[in-house]
Amino acid sequence: MFKLKPDTSEDVFSAALAKTDLWLAGQPGFILRRHGTHEDEHLDYVEWESLAAAEAAGASF
């Protein structure tokens, strides 16, 4: 769970999510991404085929 920085709007954050969705979809081993909000907190869940695939994506991000 995380909160946005005070100067970041929900619209800006949503646009960033859309861009990273496209990037994630092209990464080897990517399975799915889920994002949720509750009040002012966000959750970003990304599932990978393996830890190695997740680490490789993290390194290239």
Side-chain angles (χ1 to χ4, degrees):
M1 298 296 292
F2 61 94
K3 293 182 180 184
L4 299 181
K5 291 183 177 183
D7 60 337
T8 302
S9 72
E10 290 291 335
D11 290 340
V12 167
F13 182 64
S14 292
L17 281 177
K19 286 182 183 179
T20 55
D21 280 344
L22 293 173
W23 181 84
L24 285 168
Q27 299 307 300
F30 172 74
I31 296 176
L32 65 88
R33 181 188 205 181
R34 292 182 183 160
H35 178 261
T37 59
H38 177 70
E39 296 178 5
D40 65 343
E41 293 188 319
H42 295 263
L43 172 68
D44 193 17
Y45 172 84
V46 182
E47 189 172 330
W48 299 93
E49 288 180 359
S50 66
L51 177 58
E55 289 173 339
S60 69
F61 188 74

